[in-house]
Amino acid sequence: MPTARYHGLDFLRASMMLLGVVLHVVSSYIEAPAAGGWPLRDPNGSGFAGLVVLTIHVFRMPAFFALSGFFGAIVVARRGMGAWLADRVRRIAFPMVVAWIVLFPMTKLAFTYALGRAAEATGTSSASVPLIGTALSRPWANPSPIHLWFLLYLLALSAIAAALWAASRALPADACRRIAELPARWISGWRGIVSIALLALATTLPMCAMDRPGIATPSSFALDRAVLACYAVYFFGGWMIAQHPRAIDALRAGAWWRLSAGVFALVVSVVLAIAWFVGAGSTQPADDPVMRILLFATQSSGAVAAWLLILGGAGVAERVVRASSRPLRVLVDSSYWVYLVHLPICVFVTGLLIPWSAPGLVKMVVAIAASVLLLALGYAATLAVLPRRVRPEPCLQPEVRTLPQ
């Protein structure tokens, strides 16, 4: 079985991870009341911020899970299920536990500091803002998975994949062969269009359980069944695509039309989401028939956009990025470390800039640039201190990058 390095998918995965920095900075500049799992709002917001958040949410996390399923299937085909599960423990479970123990108190302190600065800037009482001393005295109180929820769900889907793989061993060999042949017949041509429609429908159904556009961001260690079902479609969709004997070649073919159609569907989804939020802001009941239809249209167009962007983006990336380079390797190698540690840094930088009276868009750009700079310096310092054998590794892309022949 020949090996192949997927430089385009390397770039795609790293880009999605780095978008987390953009997302978690921009979220503080949304011109809407703080709600949900992101309580921080800079007094100088930007109308552009909400548009950016809506857009990124459509495809970023779905791409993570689809890529993880794709590469998971490749490792299982090459090295076996046991080796893949051991890899998941080493690259996901262990880093998740260690990172949470360190980063949860840091994130709590960063939010405490930033919320205090926001209260001072707006002239409101800071009595409702938790004191830093309290946060320090109870660093792990009221635990939540913070941004590491993604790894928790990835571990759950890996366990489900292992169970399904074990169950498939009991199926007749002919049935297994026919199932494995499905992607080769349904990834290209008119069948490829039907496949995208079916995948989008399967994704839309659990998305309709959400109370607002998009896939909800979990805030608890207890798995949300609807969220898990949504990402299971992306994960196992990526897993099935990897069964194609020439998956990357199939994704390259027609990649530009998929990406173009995905951008169009993305625009439609974002416009519909804005319409839904405008309706919700005007006290229109969420169970109103018009609002329910609007939510379904938003969720279904978002699912179509996500699948088209994932498949088209993967194909275009593999067509354009055909060779490695030093900047690409740095980007790829640092992306997982950046994902793990970025949240408290982004919140702290945003809080530091709150007293600045510049327009929200300017502050947002400066906060992103400053966060990236601090993360780059932190990564360089980490490489200088840690031995090579314990340096951070990518979590989605496995060591073996091969396609089954």
Side-chain angles (χ1 to χ4, degrees):
M1 181 185 297
T3 60
R5 180 79 186 210
Y6 306 131
H7 301 295
L9 298 187
D10 270 344
F11 173 78
L12 185 63
R13 175 183 57 82
S15 298
M16 294 301 102
M17 284 197 166
L18 292 180
L19 275 179
V21 177
V22 177
L23 181 67
H24 289 137
V25 169
V26 171
S27 295
S28 298
Y29 294 93
I30 297 175
E31 291 182 330
W38 199 264
L40 180 60
R41 289 290 186 268
D42 189 293
N44 295 358
S46 170
F48 185 65
L51 185 62
V52 172
V53 170
L54 283 176
T55 301
I56 292 176
H57 266 308
V58 171
F59 61 86
R60 177 175 170 262
M61 296 311 301
F64 273 148
F65 283 98
L67 284 170
S68 185
F70 181 88
F71 286 117
I74 292 173
V75 173
V76 170
R78 174 75 181 194
R79 297 168 53 195
M81 179 59 72
W84 180 62
L85 291 177
D87 180 85
R88 300 300 81 188
V89 171
R90 181 169 64 90
R91 294 175 183 246
I92 298 180
F94 179 71
M96 180 184 70
V97 172
V98 173
W100 186 86
I101 292 172
V102 175
L103 293 175
F104 181 74
M106 292 177 63
T107 302
K108 181 186 291 188
L109 284 171
F111 269 112
T112 300
Y113 166 76
L115 288 168
R117 300 275 281 186
E120 294 173 2
T122 56
T124 58
S125 172
S126 61
S128 61
V129 179
L131 298 177
I132 290 180
T134 303
L136 285 171
S137 64
R138 302 180 62 201
W140 293 283
N142 303 315
S144 72
I146 50 178
H147 64 298
L148 302 177
W149 68 265
F150 159 64
L151 299 180
L152 182 65
Y153 278 71
L154 193 53
L155 286 173
L157 289 173
S158 298
I160 294 172
L164 292 175
W165 181 88
S168 72
R169 302 299 93 187
L171 295 176
D174 186 59
C176 292
R177 179 182 57 80
R178 291 186 178 184
I179 293 173
E181 289 175 352
L182 286 176
R185 289 185 285 142
W186 287 88
I187 199 174
S188 303
W190 67 268
R191 288 189 177 92
I193 298 175
V194 175
S195 296
I196 292 173
L198 292 175
L199 287 169
L201 176 61
T203 311
T204 301
L205 294 177
M207 287 178 70
C208 289
M210 311 298 168
D211 59 0
R212 59 178 55 201
I215 302 175
T217 300
S219 58
S220 168
F221 285 102
L223 296 176
D224 184 294
R225 287 179 292 181
V227 173
L228 184 65
C230 287
Y231 289 126
V233 178
Y234 289 108
F235 182 88
F236 290 108
W239 190 288
M240 289 300 296
I241 291 170
Q243 308 304 313
H244 193 302
R246 295 286 185 273
I248 294 300
D249 291 337
L251 290 176
R252 289 193 188 109
W256 285 108
W257 80 257
R258 291 191 193 97
L259 185 62
S260 300
V263 171
F264 176 78
L266 177 64
V267 172
V268 172
S269 177
V270 170
V271 170
L272 291 173
I274 292 173
W276 188 92
F277 281 109
V278 169
S282 63
T283 67
Q284 185 122 4
D287 58 354
D288 181 85
V290 174
M291 291 291 287
R292 292 178 66 85
I293 292 172
L294 185 56
L295 181 61
F296 176 81
T298 304
Q299 301 292 62
S300 57
S301 60
V304 171
W307 275 111
L308 285 169
L309 290 172
I310 290 168
L311 299 177
V316 169
E318 280 296 315
R319 293 181 68 166
V320 173
V321 186
R322 303 301 295 270
S324 185
S325 64
R326 182 170 178 78
L328 177 61
R329 292 312 311 158
V330 171
L331 178 73
V332 170
D333 292 342
S334 65
S335 60
Y336 189 28
W337 187 91
V338 168
Y339 165 76
L340 289 176
V341 308
H342 77 278
L343 186 58
I345 293 175
C346 291
V347 174
F348 174 76
V349 169
T350 303
L352 194 65
L353 295 176
I354 282 177
W356 188 24
S357 60
L361 182 59
V362 174
K363 296 174 70 173
M364 189 168 64
V365 173
V366 171
I368 292 172
S371 298
V372 170
L373 177 61
L374 288 175
L375 288 164
L377 293 174
Y379 179 70
T382 301
L383 291 186
V385 172
L386 291 180
R388 181 175 296 275
R389 65 179 181 276
V390 295
R391 290 180 180 181
E393 299 176 280
C395 70
L396 296 185
Q397 181 116 332
E399 294 175 353
V400 180
R401 298 169 175 88
T402 62
L403 287 177
Q405 301 297 315

